[in-house]
């Protein structure tokens, strides 16, 4: 699992998205404190409605699914 501070993530977002696409989880830190996790999105198990909501940035995904 990788870890990155917010400032570096902002400057290198594409790089960290590539890690997530390849199956890695990335812990996002703010002033070295973990605040979030970037995880791969399992699109093959998603419903069309969930994919549309995600594309429109109207929902987020947790380990339990979209909410």
């Amino acid at each position: 699992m990788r870890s990155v501070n917010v400032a570096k993530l902002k400057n290198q977002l594409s790089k960290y998205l590539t890690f997530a696409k390849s199956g890695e989880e990335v812990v996002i830190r703010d002033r070295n404190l973990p605040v979030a996790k970037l995880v791969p999105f399992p699109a093959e198990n998603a419903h069309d409605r969930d994919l549309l909501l995600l594309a429109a940035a109207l929902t987020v995904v947790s380990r339990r699914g979209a909410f």
Side-chain angles (χ1 to χ4, degrees):
M1 181 179 328
R2 293 181 186 268
S3 180
V4 63
N5 273 315
V6 173
K8 186 173 183 180
L9 179 65
K10 286 170 50 176
N11 290 328
Q12 299 179 355
L13 181 58
S14 294
K15 174 182 173 179
Y16 287 94
L17 287 176
T18 301
F19 294 142
K21 286 178 187 177
S22 68
E24 280 192 66
E25 294 185 355
V26 179
V27 173
I28 302 167
R29 300 181 318 236
D30 185 11
R31 297 185 180 122
N32 289 324
L33 296 174
V35 295
K37 189 185 292 186
L38 177 64
V39 297
F41 179 72
E44 66 276 356
N45 297 330
H47 298 285
D48 289 342
R49 179 178 83 48
D50 294 336
L51 292 172
L52 289 172
L53 288 171
L54 281 168
L58 297 176
T59 190
V60 295
V61 176
S62 73
R63 290 190 183 268
R64 296 179 192 103
F67 59 91

